[in-house]
Amino acid sequence: MSMAQQPAQTQSGHIIPADKVTRLPLAYPKPVAWLVCFGCALCLLLIFCISAGVLFWRGIGVWGNNIPVNWGLAISNYIWFLGIGHAGTLISAMLLLLEAHWRNSLNRFAEAMTLVAVICAGLYPILHLGRPWLFYWMAPYPNTMTIWPQFRSPLTWDFFAVLTYLTVSLLFWYIGIVPDLATTRDRAKTRGWQVFYGLLALGWRGSARHWTRWRQSYRLTAAIAVPLVVSVHSEISLLLAAGPMPGWTSTVFPPYFVLGAAFSGFAVVSMIAVVLRHVLGLEMLVTERHLDLLGKFVLATGLMTAYGYCAEVFDAFYSGDKQDLGTLMDRLTGRYAWSYWGAVVANFIPLQLLWLRWARRNPLCLFLVSAAVTLGMWFERYMLLVTTLYRDYLVSSWDNYHPSLWDWSLFAGMLGVFFVPFLLFVRFLPVISVFEIKEARFEESEAQHA
Amino acid sequence: MHEPGAQHPLFGLMAEFDRPERLIEAVKRSRDAGFRRIDAYSPFPIEELAEALDFRDQRVAWLTFFGGLFGAATGYGMQAWLHLDYPILVGSRPTVTPQAFMLITFELTVLFAVLFSIGGMLVLNRLPKLHHPVFGCESFHLATRDKFFLIVFGHDEKFDPVDTRAFLESLDPVKVDVVKQTEEPA
């Protein structure tokens, strides 16, 4: 069993650092640091349980929501989390179809990030329902009330979109990880781990027939997942745009939302990539070139989002609508102008650093720019909701909005919902797609021989 | 292709290779030698292997397509039917409104295409499977890492424990192993 101790040799004699990844779950390098992080995440999860408990017990009144601003933090965070999730699917599916081999070092943890982000996002509208235990009323099922859902409502669209997105993301991620789980199963030394990974790996044995069908299914799912991302975040913009509210009616909304989502998501993937490669010692797999490419993606989607900002302002002026102009002025100079300018500054000022090659390749620099973008996109979601809702057409329904303590504690707790499963993934599953790296190497060596 | 059942005392003979090119070559030569019931195992997908095995199966693609059709029909049909069953009249707008139904129709198209695709892939591959005779082969745990395996199944018409072994040895493998039928653990 000397093979298991050494890095594997490939057919062409190169050492594959990738094989290290399937050993990480069995011999995790920094268990104490992981336990400390996991402990903190569990504390956040506890805060989530308390906040949700208080919310269920006392009702939506514990939040700062009021009648003009009835969405508030819950829905702006929902949009923010779901948007972050989209980058995982785009990296994984779009770049797979484009045969960009460098994606293989990033797709696994990006998809895991998608999964947990979609779970966080999906919880928000349910918690926001007022009577969350009746959330299944959104589903069309035969019931004693003899009524059916209103399918022309974006809320029903939302139910189907998020459910589909969650299911597809989970299945895509899972069939992608099965071959690596089989590797981990075959490397496990103790009975317990062999059984654990054996069950997860579904009995995968790498038969050529299995691979052929697997590949068809994986590629087809990828091809379908790309338009799915576009449809899901377009649908979210329609949640806003289908209502007759000033500042929400611009036709730029669907692409603006999708690109903003990709922008914030690529930023979060960059942050995770920087942290993981440092903590797990994966610099050989997630190289500076990967950070460079991620930085380019953040920059490109950021500039497209900036175009959305311009188009929105132009749209308000071009329409000449009094109310639209009023909302625009509220955004620029009103009570919540901090969220507009916060978004503009945090999203686009540090971003300009990414024009420079050294900045994209410097992990700390990329991390900080990405953190600014994540924060900036949070400001943007908040700004889009609150600045429109707090000044409706009717002056009688004007009111200010302040998130309460329980709003903020639920947000903090939701970060626990994000980090607990993600840390479990980092600790117990192969974080990088090893077999796809081997496949790419084989194809590249073949191309060289040819 | 069915794998040998319990009536065949020998599940097959397994040859181990250390390079993918050798495995592809070995598969081609086994096919040329007249073996039909063979399979190859590799740590990553290799397109040439399926070609060498002459394995063409488009059923996953068709399942995905029909899953999508089924999802589209279900999605649109459900909305139209339920609105006819329980009309929600707003400003005398029509009951069945294709524009407003398209999003859910699209989502269900995607959902069922993916469910059929991945579910079909697993069913056709007979997965999940808790137990398989090839796992009894001593060095097979390397098939998910960096070794490449060729098996000639025991129910191949040309299979003969001695001759087939000699043939496999002639392919220049690392070694050849016997894969026995093993009972599922109770």
Side-chain angles (χ1 to χ4, degrees), chain A residues 76-311:
Chain A
S76 81
N77 279 348
Y78 159 66
I79 301 174
W80 183 67
F81 268 116
L82 200 64
I84 286 172
H86 288 331
T89 319
L90 286 178
I91 285 192
S92 197
M94 190 173 72
L95 299 179
L96 173 79
L97 299 173
L98 294 174
E99 308 222 333
H101 285 168
W102 59 270
R103 131 218 196 267
N104 296 339
S105 294
L106 308 170
N107 69 322
R108 176 74 47 73
F109 63 78
E111 280 176 59
M113 184 271 303
T114 295
L115 265 183
V116 288
V118 176
I119 290 169
C120 294
L123 281 171
Y124 261 120
I126 293 177
L127 292 169
H128 180 262
L129 278 178
R131 288 186 289 170
W133 53 92
L134 297 178
F135 74 93
Y136 62 91
W137 282 13
M138 298 293 290
Y141 69 103
N143 55 68
T144 51
M145 301 172 282
T146 67
I147 54 171
W148 296 110
Q150 160 68 297
F151 288 113
R152 274 163 282 180
S153 156
L155 278 171
T156 321
W157 302 350
D158 204 36
F159 174 77
F160 282 91
V162 175
L163 213 61
T164 302
Y165 190 52
L166 182 64
T167 316
V168 170
S169 309
L170 178 68
L171 287 174
F172 188 56
W173 172 79
Y174 186 61
I175 66 159
I177 202 173
V178 158
D180 279 342
L181 288 172
T183 315
T184 309
R185 169 199 68 198
D186 292 341
R187 301 188 73 166
K189 298 283 189 299
T190 57
R191 184 73 186 149
W193 287 126
Q194 286 172 342
V195 171
F196 176 70
Y197 291 110
L199 288 174
L200 286 179
L202 304 175
W204 184 261
R205 53 187 185 274
S207 154
R209 292 182 168 80
H210 289 188
W211 276 125
T212 308
R213 294 197 190 99
W214 177 90
R215 201 178 189 153
Q216 287 174 344
S217 169
Y218 195 60
R219 288 188 162 255
L220 284 168
T221 306
I224 303 169
V226 176
L228 177 66
V229 167
V230 176
S231 88
V232 170
H233 229 71
S234 300
E235 176 274 325
I236 299 220
S237 80
L238 294 178
L239 274 179
L240 283 73
M245 297 298 289
W248 283 356
T249 47
S250 163
T251 46
V252 81
F253 256 45
Y256 175 41
F257 267 56
V258 174
L259 291 166
F263 180 39
S264 58
F266 281 123
V268 172
V269 171
S270 306
M271 287 200 284
I272 294 176
V274 167
V275 173
L276 275 188
R277 80 195 276 268
H278 179 70
V279 173
L280 299 180
L282 299 174
E283 285 89 351
M284 293 277 279
L285 291 173
V286 184
T287 60
E288 286 186 348
R289 179 170 163 255
H290 291 100
L291 300 183
D292 187 26
L293 287 161
L294 276 175
K296 281 180 186 164
F297 263 97
V298 174
L299 179 63
T301 46
L303 295 175
M304 294 178 207
T305 308
Y307 171 79
Y309 276 64
C310 300

Side-chain angles (χ1 to χ4, degrees), chain A residues 148 186 208 213 231 438 446, chain B residues 40 48 85 107 125 144-145:
Chain A
W148 296 110
D186 292 341
R213 294 197 190 99
S231 88
K438 291 181 186 167
E446 265 203 325
Chain B
E48 292 92 330
D85 187 51
E107 300 299 337
N125 282 347
T144 52
R145 290 195 51 204

Side-chain angles (χ1 to χ4, degrees), chain A residues 416-430:
Chain A
V417 177
F418 183 91
F419 281 116
V420 166
F422 192 79
L423 284 168
L424 286 173
F425 158 78
V426 169
R427 172 68 187 77
F428 293 108
L429 298 176

